[in-house]
Amino acid sequence: QVQLVESGGGLVQPGGSLRLSCAASGSIFSDYVMGWYRQAPGKQRELVATIHTRGSTNYADSVKGRFTISRDNAKNTVYLQMNSLKPEDTAVYYCNYRPALPINSNYWGQGTQVTVSS
């Protein structure tokens, strides 16, 4: 029912910036949480940041002060502005959508590669 399309990944030098976008389409509930997770090779997927329709946000400690999540509710789109990037930020970044209803619904995008290297 829901499709997530991510964009904005790429190669950047340490200290650089990238902006990721994720647009949700399909049967979108009016109340939901969208966010970004990331997964490096051989590691588990971890939360980066989430944002509720109402605006509340949550960040992993490792990205606080460097990353900013935002959204455009009218477009069902979430953004992740990543500044002061570090090599340890290198991962595949996945967009996530969790509607309030039906319960336990959880959707993922295909992922976009972010590589931080000199």
Side-chain angles (χ1 to χ4, degrees), residues 76-89:
N76 296 317
T77 299
V78 65
Y79 307 93
L80 185 68
Q81 179 66 47
M82 304 185 293
N83 298 325
S84 302
L85 283 162
K86 305 175 181 179
E88 51 262 43
D89 295 319

Side-chain angles (χ1 to χ4, degrees), residues 6 35-39 45 92-96 108-111:
E6 301 132 323
W36 293 94
Y37 293 70
R38 66 187 182 187
Q39 187 170 21
R45 185 169 55 234
V92 177
Y93 284 69
Y94 295 93
C95 181
N96 175 253
W108 297 94
Q110 289 288 103

Side-chain angles (χ1 to χ4, degrees), residues 5-54:
V5 179
E6 301 132 323
S7 62
L11 174 65
V12 65
Q13 294 185 358
S17 298
L18 286 173
R19 186 176 188 245
L20 306 182
S21 299
C22 175
S25 61
S27 183
I28 306 301
F29 195 69
S30 60
D31 190 25
Y32 58 86
V33 174
M34 290 184 70
W36 293 94
Y37 293 70
R38 66 187 182 187
Q39 187 170 21
K43 298 182 179 180
Q44 292 186 335
R45 185 169 55 234
E46 64 177 358
L47 182 147
V48 177
T50 61
I51 185 167
H52 194 275
T53 330
R54 294 170 290 184

